[in-house]
Amino acid sequence: MKGHFGGRKTSRRELLTKGAGAAAGIAGAALLRSPVLAPRGLAVPRLRPAKAAAAGTLRKFPGATVNAVFISGEHDDTLLRDQISDVKQTLGINLTVTDLGADAMHDKITQGLRSGHSPYEVSTIVGFWLAETVGPGYFEPLEKYLKDPELTPADFDFEDFVPKHLDYISYWNLAEHRNGRPGQLFLLPGPHSDAHMVTYRKDLFDKYGVSAPPKTWDEYVQVAKKLHHPGDGVYGTAFVGKLDPSIALSEWANRLVSMGGRMFTGSLKDKTVVPHLDSPESVAAVENLVELADYAPPGVTGYALTEVADAMAAGKVGITMLWVTVSGRAWAPKLSKVADKVEAAVPPGNGVTIRGGWGMGIPKDVKNKEAAWAVIRYYSTKEADKARVMNYGTAAVRRSTFKDADVVKRYPYYPTFGKLLETATPYPSLPFPESWEMVLEPAKYWNLAVTKQLKPKEACGKAQDAVRLVLKKGGWNKSA
């Protein structure tokens, strides 16, 4: 099978972010992540034929139709969309690739699963949708497809996937209502993994006497203060201050877990879950964001991930913490004015960051399951993973990509990212079917704190009440 992922490149439109508020009443909330622009003119090696495919032993599916859906703005879909004609030629499949905003994608997938009429043979799922989509048994187990030599070539190398990302996104234990192993394989990792990383301007560190990246969040504020020189067109930092899922997922949650805080205690099994969004660690996380606003560009309370990443790439800020998939543009010479001046570091605190990323699976109710697997397998090879990273700066899902000399040369932060991915943890509400709601509800109050409409402690109290109500409605706290 050819699979020429390194061939033709097309200029993709800049995708608009779409609201994520439908799931929990947040009007105008933006995408989970933001658009990543593709560096132009990158040369990626063409794929080598798989051994089984070269021998003609892999099954083809003439005339079969497969519809695949991906999140907008992260280039998860771009490479596969460019290969539609190759999929037709090598697999016989009529492939349609769709990208949607987080709210629309969530609703279409979940409504289809519940009705037994899934619109997408290949459905991509993010971690905090697992309990709601994979947990009830709506997805097809994948082991039989993986082990079938007519469906998966001998050199596919499943063991090459990052083990921690497999446990995060691919395996689900139906009996114990949790992700990870022991469990069944329901999704293949991809099109990208993710964790959070600090990006900083080494030239500004040297200029203003900052000796090393901050080790605590208090130090992070002090570093931002030292780098803050608006008169020279440089601000200390930027962060997601907008009413947006990432003010919870990226900003608040990373600070919480890296300070040793916990969003919940108790047991899902015993229905004794207690939220702790008003804990000292949670209050400190919100206070940190409020402090940083003084050393950020005007209008930071309207920043989503796109604006933060663009500010760093434009040379307007000294230090940021972002998803790696979004951070990559700062290193891309075609996209960044400071590509030769940035370096990477582990975020402050205990070194633990929030994990992200997607998995690709097959709903049980679709007809062309083997053809759907063929598309997933086609898009999950080592060559495809490397091509996505090299072309779009996305976050790899295979260990071989992290070690690849071409990747490390182009993206020097990859060794740091690899370490972060080993210790990253999911957003704490992941085991709950209401997980997405418990991202969106707190986001309201973190935004109100950053815009100084609420004091940090008051915002945490309101977020606590909101999440407690979600838990009560879900039956996760019998005494609530």
Side-chain angles (χ1 to χ4, degrees), residues 81-247:
R81 195 188 300 276
D82 284 350
Q83 302 300 315
I84 286 175
S85 61
D86 190 64
V87 170
K88 175 70 173 177
Q89 180 181 348
T90 60
L91 301 175
I93 294 170
N94 298 311
L95 175 65
T96 299
V97 177
T98 300
D99 62 282
L100 294 172
D103 55 342
M105 182 171 160
H106 169 271
D107 291 349
K108 289 203 75 170
I109 289 175
T110 55
Q111 289 167 11
L113 293 172
R114 290 167 185 155
S115 69
H117 299 284
S118 293
Y120 306 109
E121 286 80 8
V122 174
S123 295
T124 48
I125 302 297
V126 72
F128 36 82
W129 296 350
L130 285 169
E132 184 181 10
T133 57
V134 177
Y138 291 136
F139 274 77
E140 179 82 355
L142 300 180
E143 283 94 344
K144 64 181 179 182
Y145 305 99
L146 182 66
K147 294 177 181 178
D148 188 334
E150 292 188 1
L151 296 175
T152 306
D155 63 350
F156 182 70
D157 196 2
F158 179 77
E159 301 302 320
D160 186 49
F161 287 109
V162 175
K164 291 290 182 69
H165 196 59
L166 280 169
D167 285 328
Y168 166 64
I169 199 66
S170 298
Y171 287 94
W172 186 269
N173 189 307
L174 293 172
E176 298 179 14
H177 307 289
R178 59 160 178 81
N179 64 329
R181 288 173 277 192
Q184 286 181 281
L185 179 70
F186 288 104
L187 308 174
L188 275 196
H192 73 258
S193 65
D194 227 338
H196 287 81
M197 179 177 73
V198 167
T199 300
Y200 65 94
R201 290 272 302 276
K202 184 63 169 62
D203 60 322
L204 296 181
F205 270 43
D206 294 341
K207 182 176 180 179
Y208 296 113
V210 180
S211 59
K215 300 296 184 184
T216 69
W217 287 106
D218 286 340
E219 289 182 9
Y220 194 96
V221 173
Q222 295 307 310
V223 168
K225 185 177 180 179
K226 285 187 176 182
L227 303 181
H228 188 63
H229 295 272
D232 297 331
V234 176
Y235 300 89
T237 191
F239 59 90
V240 177
K242 186 179 182 178
L243 176 49
D244 180 279
S246 285
I247 196 173

